[in-house]
Amino acid sequence: MSYSVLALAMSYSMLATAQPNRPARCADLLSNRSVWGGKAVGIDMSAYTEGAFQWLGCRATPEGTKIPGSCAPETFFCEEDANITERFGFVWNGATAIAFGSTDRSDTVPNVEQVSACHGVGSIENCKEIDPTYVMDADGDVPCCFDVGQKCAAPASNQVGTALCGSLGYLEAQFIVQQVTFNNPDPTPYCPVVTLNDDPNGPPVVSDFQKSSGFGRVLVCTGVNSPLPPPPPSPPLVSVCWQVQSLTNLRDFDTPGQKVWCNSGLNASQRKADAALCESYYATTNTNATA
């Protein structure tokens, strides 16, 4: 199920106060910068969310070794338009679209490796071990978040997805969510997720820093929320100017009532080449007079 950004106007406006001039594309977002000291691949959204939401992606150890329970960097992808159909089987209607996330899966419960997120610290460079109590373990992993800038799970709600897609210049969003199975002995095996903040005076996205039962594995953004292209130029007010432009010999145009008003004189060639100049000349010249 997708959600319209119009239905979440308040949330969207909180997260992105200015729309991008065009929808963000994979080349604008993909990042291989280190997060929390490990090798990583993901998307950097800092510039599009005014620093509210930094990063969504997959992280490995500093040496690049896969971390159990976390998606491997090489499984993170970003696809556009028709390519999304090929990967997910979505019916593409020709609209501008983007999708990003991980294909990493395992055969163990909860059977999908977590996609991680960083929020609330302005830029991706601040997704690091700042707090002296937040340190990397011997296996190269970092703890789940208990503060901003730390490893949370990717958002799991379409409401957050719509706000994020809106900040990227798209109208609708759909999160493909991984949810824990009902028979899993641990009902909340994932890190805390990021949610929208109901307090208009606070940051736009927050977390309760409580372990979660699901996370967003893939986010699909569709439609376009960026300014429409400018309309084509209006046809000239005086059709005779177009006729003048088509003439090989400017003096061929000498019909009754027009009297070579726009096809002779010192600036005749310029008037032929520039319809606006021709119209301006027409507006200030008696049509029965020669140039």
Side-chain angles (χ1 to χ4, degrees):
M1 180 179 182
S2 62
Y3 289 76
S4 168
V5 73
L6 298 177
L8 297 166
M10 179 64 73
S11 299
Y12 165 61
S13 63
M14 289 169 60
L15 190 58
T17 58
Q19 298 176 15
N21 292 327
R22 61 175 177 80
R25 308 301 274 163
C26 291
D28 303 316
L29 299 170
L30 278 171
S31 169
N32 59 1
R33 296 181 184 179
S34 172
V35 292
W36 309 300
K39 292 186 177 181
V41 177
I43 60 162
D44 182 356
M45 298 182 66
S46 300
Y48 294 90
T49 62
E50 296 192 343
F53 189 95
Q54 276 63 64
W55 181 83
L56 183 152
C58 300
R59 176 189 177 275
T61 69
E63 297 76 30
T65 304
K66 176 177 167 52
I67 298 172
S70 295
C71 59
E74 60 268 22
T75 69
F76 191 86
F77 68 89
C78 185
E79 300 283 8
E80 299 171 353
D81 305 334
N83 291 332
I84 301 174
T85 302
E86 297 174 7
R87 185 179 287 272
F88 302 107
F90 288 119
V91 178
W92 185 58
N93 62 3
T96 302
I98 191 173
F100 43 82
S102 172
T103 59
D104 205 349
R105 301 181 66 89
S106 69
D107 296 328
T108 61
V109 175
N111 81 23
V112 174
E113 307 291 64
Q114 178 184 289
V115 179
S116 298
C118 176
H119 77 285
V121 288
S123 70
I124 194 172
E125 289 82 4
N126 294 324
C127 300
K128 60 184 180 181
E129 303 162 81
I130 300 174
D131 191 312
T133 64
Y134 189 76
V135 296
M136 190 183 308
D137 63 26
D139 296 325
D141 199 4
V142 291
C144 285
C145 59
F146 54 84
D147 201 352
V148 296
Q150 300 174 357
K151 186 184 75 173
C152 290
S157 75
N158 278 320
Q159 288 90 340
V160 178
T162 298
L164 293 176
C165 287
S167 72
L168 298 178
Y170 295 88
L171 285 169
E172 295 184 340
Q174 180 182 356
F175 254 127
I176 298 175
V177 176
Q178 172 62 27
Q179 199 73 25
V180 68
T181 54
F182 72 93
N183 60 346
N184 187 32
D186 182 359
T188 55
Y190 306 116
C191 289
V193 295
V194 176
T195 61
L196 294 179
N197 189 359
D198 295 330
D199 181 3
N201 297 317
V205 289
V206 294
S207 177
D208 61 7
F209 302 117
Q210 301 297 313
K211 296 289 287 293
S212 64
S213 61
F215 67 91
R217 187 163 67 91
V218 176
L219 178 59
V220 183
C221 303
T222 58
V224 176
N225 201 31
S226 54
L228 297 175
S234 300
L237 299 177
V238 185
S239 61
V240 69
C241 294
W242 292 114
Q243 298 178 48
V244 169
Q245 287 183 329
S246 67
L247 295 176
T248 302
N249 184 346
L250 292 177
R251 295 186 181 277
D252 288 344
F253 191 72
D254 193 7
T255 58
Q258 300 295 338
K259 195 67 176 178
V260 299
W261 65 270
C262 202
N263 62 321
S264 62
L266 297 177
N267 296 319
S269 296
Q270 290 92 325
R271 290 197 294 275
K272 178 184 177 183
D274 187 340
L277 183 61
C278 181
E279 291 174 19
S280 176
Y281 185 80
Y282 172 81
T284 58
T285 306
N286 188 307
T287 59
N288 292 318
T290 59

